[in-house]
Amino acid sequence: MTLYRAQVMDTPDDPFRGGALRADADAGLLVVDGMIVERGPYADVRREHPGETVVDLTSGLLLPGFVDTHVHYPQMRAIGALGMPLLEWLDRCALPEEARLADAGYAREVAGEFVASLVDSGTTTALVFGSHFAPAVDLLFERATERGLRITSGLVVGDRMLRPELHTTAQRAYDQARELARRWHQQGRTRYAVTPRFSLSCTDELLESCSAMHADTAGCWFTSHINENPAEIAKVRELFGCGYLDSYDKHGLVGPHSVFAHNVHPTDTELELLAASGASVAHCPTSNAALGSGLFPLDRHLSCGVRVALGSDVGAGTGFSLFKEGLQAYFLQRLRGPEGVPMTSAHLLYLATSAGADALGLGDQVGDLEVGKRFDAVWLDPPPGTPLAVGLRHADGSSDALAKAFALATPHDLRGVWVDGERIKG
Ligand code: GUN
Ligand code: ZN
């Protein structure tokens, strides 16, 4: 049993639907076997539990662990390429790097770097685009398990329009996915996700094998890309003769366990289907800006009732920090003028935590720091004298303090990260 004492902020109630930031200036959280069993004013919880070990985190802010709903493991070393739109960037940067993970020694190094970067940035749960190579996916799951992260991931598949060495077949995709799922699905903190790269790189036969894999693996997730870039969308229409979402839906791949990355250019019909099916969208704002993909229509998603969470989309995205993604999401809505959705720091925290947990079907376990949830948390405590430390000290209330965190925090400001009550950083 451990008693954590901290200034705690979380978003158990959706601020897009009238909820507010929950901020407790001096909270006590009692954690037993990784679960929060009591929460209240520190003095009250302490009185009830005078003998428990106290972990004093009062010098900073305690937030729920971040949930990244879209991040590519094999693109760890591809971050930071500038000046290209999606399809050129894939050909020139992402896919050549992804091909290198055919070498297990190379993949092992990348898996180590990738998992370390998630932990370091305070991401405790992630939906990860794996590799096109099954041994590399094993290495990711192994490393994530060693470090204690909650990871949902899978073999990325495509059978056209990539590099030949990244192509698979419908049968091989199914067989390798089944084998990986047997080893990793619902084992400890890991789960399997069926992951066709995007319909542009998949024939109907391959998507049908993804559908079979999804149907045959109870509780597994589905993720892919959608409506990211106008040239891409036009090619999908040319190849499939239908809209982008329909290219997945005709294989039964749109449902409450589906997470689609980007959706920058959806039609109204697509938004209606996403909402009705309970699918989620991973909004990836630094990626959209870096590739010039477009301005995410958050207003249209919200008004249709589509679930939206945040993704870093490393390596098109420019880093692992969901503070940075939250800030970029905010900037983007500001720049959309009257169509932009006004957001407070509570909205940003919600998108980076509770919304992601909800999109991944983990909202009963993580996403906020309520009694009954797992203790997945990040402790933000910047070095003294830094602009963030100064800002937090002079903040005008909790919402302002949290806004300063989104504006200024980097992974270097995180002194502790916990999953299930296990400290995995600091
Ligand atoms: N569409 C298909 N593959 C990718 C990828 O790796 N990154 C992004 N941003 N979009 C994609
Ligand atoms: Zn992506």
Side-chain angles (χ1 to χ4, degrees), residues 383-405:
T386 58
L388 180 55
V390 172
L392 291 178
R393 205 169 60 245
H394 295 282
D396 184 13
S398 44
S399 173
D400 186 42
L402 186 61
K404 292 181 188 318

Side-chain angles (χ1 to χ4, degrees), residues 57 70 99 119 127 129 138 168 186 244 250 282 288-289 292 299 328 333 345-346 380:
L57 309 175
H70 187 73
V119 172
L127 177 57
F129 245 74
D138 265 318
T168 188
Q186 295 176 333
Y244 213 138
K250 69 178 180 172
N288 294 166
D299 54 339
Q328 184 69 28
Q333 294 306 315
S345 58
L380 178 69

Side-chain angles (χ1 to χ4, degrees), residues 47-294:
R47 201 174 310 113
E48 293 296 313
H49 302 277
E52 300 314 333
T53 310
V54 174
V55 176
D56 189 322
L57 309 175
T58 48
S59 60
L61 286 183
L62 191 72
L63 305 173
F66 291 126
V67 181
D68 187 340
T69 61
H70 187 73
V71 55
H72 293 254
Y73 139 57
Q75 296 175 9
M76 171 77 210
R77 298 183 181 182
I79 299 170
L82 302 179
M84 286 166 273
L86 173 66
L87 297 175
E88 185 187 350
W89 175 79
L90 283 172
D91 284 345
R92 290 183 49 194
C93 296
L95 300 181
E97 176 60 20
E98 296 214 10
R100 294 187 187 109
L101 276 81
D103 174 344
Y106 190 89
R108 179 175 285 107
E109 277 184 23
V110 173
E113 294 161 0
F114 175 78
V115 167
S117 300
L118 289 174
V119 172
D120 206 41
S121 309
T123 296
T124 51
T125 297
L127 177 57
V128 179
F129 245 74
S131 167
H132 285 272
F133 304 102
V137 180
D138 265 318
L139 289 164
L140 168 70
F141 277 125
E142 277 169 23
R143 192 70 196 123
T145 301
E146 282 164 16
R147 285 303 304 266
L149 285 179
R150 285 183 211 285
I151 290 287
T152 304
S153 188
L155 182 73
V156 176
V157 297
D159 62 352
R160 64 176 170 190
M161 299 185 74
L162 302 170
R163 303 160 68 88
E165 63 269 42
L166 298 181
H167 290 159
T168 188
T169 63
Q171 188 63 48
R172 182 149 64 103
Y174 183 90
D175 294 344
Q176 291 186 330
R178 280 297 274 183
E179 186 51 28
L180 282 164
R182 192 182 61 73
R183 284 202 286 283
W184 299 107
H185 185 49
Q186 295 176 333
Q187 301 298 315
R189 297 174 192 147
T190 60
R191 296 186 307 176
Y192 196 79
V194 176
T195 314
R197 182 162 207 116
F198 57 163
S199 51
L200 192 62
S201 70
C202 301
T203 61
D204 276 307
E205 190 192 359
L206 183 62
L207 289 174
E208 198 48 40
S209 94
C210 290
S211 178
M213 172 62 199
H214 193 243
D216 293 347
T217 311
C220 83
W221 236 251
F222 173 81
T223 189
S224 196
H225 296 91
I226 196 165
N227 289 328
E228 182 175 0
N229 166 291
E232 171 215 20
I233 296 167
K235 281 212 167 119
V236 167
R237 179 164 289 283
E238 197 182 301
L239 286 169
F240 285 88
C242 65
Y244 213 138
L245 187 61
D246 281 342
S247 68
Y248 299 116
D249 188 46
K250 69 178 180 172
H251 295 286
L253 293 169
V254 182
H257 293 179
S258 308
V259 177
F260 292 99
H262 303 297
N263 210 32
V264 179
H265 309 283
T267 65
D268 289 344
T269 315
E270 287 176 322
L271 288 171
E272 281 157 22
L273 176 57
L274 287 167
S277 64
S280 296
V281 167
H283 170 35
C284 305
T286 70
S287 164
N288 294 166
L291 297 179
S293 300

Side-chain angles (χ1 to χ4, degrees), residues 29-53:
L29 269 61
L30 191 66
V31 175
V32 178
D33 295 333
M35 182 192 282
I36 303 166
V37 296
E38 273 187 61
R39 171 176 174 154
Y42 172 75
D44 296 358
V45 182
R46 184 61 175 160
R47 201 174 310 113
E48 293 296 313
H49 302 277
E52 300 314 333
T53 310

